[in-house]
Amino acid sequence: MEIGNKKPLCFVPINSLSDVQPIRCCSFSEDGLLYAVGSNSKTLRICLYPPQINNISKPTQTSVIFKRTKHHKGSIYCLSWSKDGQFIASGSNDKTIKIIKYSSENKQLEGRELELTMHDGTVRDLCFMNESSSTERKLLVSGGAGDCKLYISDCGVLTPMQAYSGHSGHIYSLYSWENNMVVTGSQDKTIRFWDIRVPECINTVLPCSYYDTMGSPVTAVCVDPTGRLLVSGHEDASCVLHDIRRNRQIQCFQPHSADIRSIRFSPSAYYLLTCGYDNKIVLTDLQGNLTLSLPSVVVGEHSDKVISARWHPRDFSILTTSADKTAKLWAIPNI
């Protein structure tokens, strides 16, 4: 299948990991050598990313190098690696965040497990913020249900530095860029921008969705590597492109037929990766005029809802998780 007039993109599953319950979240380490997956069975796995993935001619067995059952008391909803690759944070519907230090050399945990308990509802999303060269602090941003607050925590002292109020519905998704900026998407149909140096929301956007100018709950958000373009995914299957600097909506399109649950720019920002409850994984080409119709193509499919999708930080490969109880690694052989 082609995107526009470009070479066909033929993604195939290189390997597949199975669980007894839906696999909800995934995250690559910053160097791309490892990836983690978390499931509704409360299990955390760390897997080895296969070398020379584009030269693999047939599916291989997933190399699980660490497995921890009952990592949380509830389903694992979200995962994030710290930028230096030393720590993995996970959030759950048990209302806690756990932070572990993992040694890739020894393939085991190091030191004691850290726990944050300030959320009073499901932790729906979290990420480590970019570490500033002027500080050794490791900051974690998190959001979810309950009080619908956005929390910034210092992992060194295990306390929330700041709690931000503003959303009136669950925070479904968040994304951090540069050293201080965070964007959140919520059940209340709004997108909010935060600068952690400022004690309140600095901008609120109500995207016009595909069917309704009053919008649709925001299930996924992401910012491109330049910090200029925001993309949001919605419950009504809409995708909205927003110019951050000019504070204007560029366009809305619909690459899926059901809720979008994950959205990410490729590392080069040439493509947009989306997945959703229609079981499909879709790439949208962003290399033309963003105000015109954008070509999209289905590049993969699960047998049930796709819950999350992530790009590899270097290779043109994708990791997805699904309600079909699998996590799949996709690549284009012999590219």
Side-chain angles (χ1 to χ4, degrees):
M1 300 180 74
E2 297 186 6
I3 292 185
N5 297 317
K6 297 179 175 64
K7 183 181 178 180
L9 299 175
C10 301
F11 279 85
V12 298
I14 298 301
N15 58 43
S16 181
L17 172 73
S18 297
D19 195 276
V20 295
Q21 293 190 37
I23 301 179
R24 188 173 286 274
C25 55
C26 59
S27 179
F28 281 109
S29 61
E30 192 73 7
D31 61 13
L33 300 178
L34 302 170
Y35 61 90
V37 295
S39 81
N40 280 8
S41 69
K42 312 167 190 175
T43 302
L44 172 69
R45 292 177 176 88
I46 298 175
C47 306
L48 188 65
Y49 181 75
Q52 298 180 323
I53 190 170
N54 298 119
N55 293 324
I56 297 174
S57 58
K58 60 181 180 179
T60 62
Q61 184 175 358
T62 304
S63 178
V64 180
I65 58 176
F66 176 84
K67 178 180 178 181
R68 191 181 196 188
T69 58
K70 299 180 181 178
H71 182 58
H72 279 271
K73 294 178 181 178
S75 303
I76 301 174
Y77 268 67
C78 48
L79 286 169
S80 178
W81 291 79
S82 63
K83 304 302 179 184
D84 60 10
Q86 293 186 35
F87 296 91
I88 304 171
S90 57
S92 168
N93 60 2
D94 67 9
K95 306 178 186 179
T96 70
I97 293 170
K98 292 196 174 185
I99 303 168
I100 58 173
K101 187 173 184 180
Y102 178 76
S103 169
S104 57
E105 182 178 352
N106 299 323
K107 299 180 181 179
Q108 63 183 15
L109 302 184
E110 291 186 341
R112 65 187 181 93
E113 178 185 273
L114 309 176
E115 188 173 82
L116 294 169
T117 59
M118 66 282 188
H119 285 275
D120 66 352
T122 299
V123 184
R124 298 296 300 253
D125 203 2
L126 51 71
C127 69
F128 285 96
M129 301 195 70
N130 291 336
E131 289 105 2
S132 170
S133 58
S134 62
T135 178
E136 294 298 319
R137 291 188 307 177
K138 202 169 295 294
L139 301 182
L140 184 76
V141 55
S142 58
D147 61 15
C148 308
K149 290 181 179 178
L150 179 72
Y151 288 93
I152 309 293
S153 302
D154 186 334
C155 300
V157 295
L158 286 182
T159 55
M161 294 171 46
Q162 185 72 42
Y164 298 88
S165 298
H167 282 296
S168 59
H170 300 172
I171 295 175
Y172 284 145
S173 178
L174 56 83
Y175 191 85
S176 171
W177 74 104
E178 297 178 345
N179 292 323
N180 303 296
M181 299 301 298
V182 181
V183 64
T184 52
S186 170
Q187 183 186 43
D188 65 14
K189 303 182 182 180
T190 69
I191 295 170
R192 290 179 180 263
F193 291 86
W194 315 82
D195 184 328
I196 66 170
R197 298 165 296 186
V198 179
E200 59 189 13
C201 172
I202 61 172
N203 189 26
T204 301
V205 174
L206 179 62
C208 296
S209 67
Y210 197 81
Y211 294 109
D212 193 346
T213 57
M214 298 304 294
S216 171
V218 186
T219 51
V221 289
C222 187
V223 173
D224 84 324
T226 69
R228 296 178 180 178
L229 190 64
L230 165 78
V231 64
S232 57
H234 299 260
E235 275 190 3
D236 69 352
S238 297
C239 266
V240 176
L241 291 173
H242 185 86
D243 186 328
I244 296 174
R245 298 184 182 181
R246 296 183 180 180
N247 194 26
R248 64 181 180 90
Q249 182 166 316
I250 299 171
Q251 75 150 295
C252 176
F253 61 103
Q254 197 174 40
H256 292 268
S257 59
D259 304 33
I260 293 173
R261 285 289 147 173
S262 185
I263 197 162
R264 281 294 187 274
F265 290 98
S266 64
S268 64
Y270 292 157
Y271 298 99
L272 184 67
L273 169 67
T274 55
C275 68
Y277 282 1
D278 59 0
N279 306 356
K280 293 178 172 55
I281 306 155
V282 174
L283 285 193
T284 299
D285 192 344
L286 301 177
Q287 297 176 79
N289 186 333
L290 297 181
T291 65
L292 302 179
S293 178
L294 299 173
S296 297
V297 63
V298 176
V299 295
E301 193 165 351
H302 280 264
S303 61
D304 205 339
K305 299 171 183 176
V306 189
I307 304 172
S308 67
R310 295 291 183 266
W311 289 100
H312 187 271
R314 292 190 313 272
D315 295 341
F316 201 70
S317 61
I318 296 165
L319 178 63
T320 58
T321 68
S322 171
D324 67 9
K325 306 175 186 178
T326 68
K328 292 185 178 183
L329 188 61
W330 307 77
I332 303 176
N334 303 314
I335 190 170

